[in-house]
Amino acid sequence: MRTLVIDHPLVAHKLTRLRRAETSSATFRLLAEELVTLLAYEATDSLRVQPVEITTPVSPTTGREMAEPLPIVVPILRAGLGMLNGMMKLMPTAEVGFLGMVRDETSLTATTYADRIPHDIHDRQVFVLDPMLATGGTLVAAIELLLERGARDVTAICLLAAPEGLARLEEAFAGRDADVTVVTAALDERLNEKGYIVPGLGDAGDRLYGSAE
Ligand code: URA
């Protein structure tokens, strides 16, 4: 498994504004979108491209464009939705699949309540959007589902990651016949007793969309 922690001044600036408790939901949504676009640039460093013959106003030349089959972007509902626009800005022609997962706040285990992913995704590069890699339970379940459908190249984009979550992914996917990459803006200190990332940014879904209760 490959982990990329993106060390860039703009990423740090936007993340710091996201973390602030006083940042409003409206600003949080904008910042999250901008931050994802920056992370997406790094996360697509191995995007498959194919040669294409084109003509510029000056001469013919060979360029490169995204290869078929096109990649699939999978936001994990609900908080992953807040990352979708930022990702699609960079890859507007990618396909989008949806995965609804909820974590039980007591057991911290993830269950799937919505699945809009094609049944066969072998040969497709997949980009999973999940803002908080905390215990790793949700992301492990999501990536397992994608591997069962045939994916062999999965990149998870997370705003923040905790060491516990990364270790869980490492344990689940090290030595497996698949390229799994995690791209994140920061690796935080730890999880607290409620499974929140410390210092983190709180509940990403609530900060994006308000409390569901
Ligand atoms: N999910 C969140 O939204 N925040 C955390 O800190 C951990 C999990």
Side-chain angles (χ1 to χ4, degrees):
M1 195 184 92
R2 186 167 72 121
T3 303
L4 301 180
V5 181
I6 307 304
D7 182 16
H8 186 287
L10 277 177
V11 168
H13 173 81
K14 288 179 197 300
L15 178 61
T16 301
R17 293 192 60 201
L18 267 186
R19 288 186 192 274
R20 284 178 189 269
E22 65 271 27
T23 298
S24 69
S25 273
T27 306
F28 191 97
R29 283 194 294 272
L30 275 179
L31 286 167
E33 193 173 317
E34 290 170 357
L35 186 52
V36 171
T37 305
L38 295 174
L39 297 181
Y41 177 77
E42 304 280 351
T44 49
D45 66 350
S46 303
L47 192 67
R48 283 199 290 264
V49 287
Q50 62 194 18
V52 57
E53 301 306 320
I54 60 159
T55 308
T56 76
V58 180
S59 82
T61 186
T62 305
R64 287 183 298 164
E65 62 181 18
M66 262 197 314
E68 307 254 351
L70 293 170
I72 306 184
V73 177
V74 179
I76 299 184
L77 307 179
R78 129 182 108 126
L81 264 192
M83 302 171 73
L84 184 58
N85 281 350
M87 186 73 192
M88 298 310 282
K89 264 190 190 153
L90 276 196
M91 293 203 305
T93 55
E95 192 180 337
V96 181
F98 293 93
L99 210 45
M101 304 199 102
V102 68
R103 126 178 137 146
D104 183 290
E105 293 302 331
T106 317
S107 67
L108 301 182
T109 54
T111 46
T112 306
Y113 66 87
D115 170 359
R116 302 290 293 172
I117 312 276
H119 280 285
D120 182 3
I121 52 173
H122 87 276
D123 273 358
R124 309 285 299 266
Q125 285 182 296
V126 185
F127 294 89
V128 182
L129 308 178
D130 188 14
M132 309 299 275
L133 173 48
T135 60
T138 303
L139 205 48
V140 167
I143 296 173
E144 287 288 5
L145 183 146
L146 296 165
L147 298 190
E148 274 166 27
R149 303 270 166 99
R152 285 296 170 268
D153 185 343
V154 179
T155 300
I157 303 181
C158 305
L159 300 180
L160 283 182
E164 295 88 334
L166 272 183
R168 181 135 170 216
L169 254 76
E170 193 79 55
E171 194 185 328
F173 301 114
R176 294 276 288 272
D177 172 30
D179 292 329
V180 175
T181 302
V182 175
V183 179
T184 185
L187 178 56
D188 273 8
E189 284 166 28
R190 61 184 169 86
L191 295 180
N192 69 13
E193 63 290 346
K194 290 185 173 158
Y196 279 87
I197 297 177
V198 180
L201 49 74
D203 185 301
D206 286 358
R207 297 216 51 197
L208 282 161
Y209 304 118
S211 164
E213 265 79 59

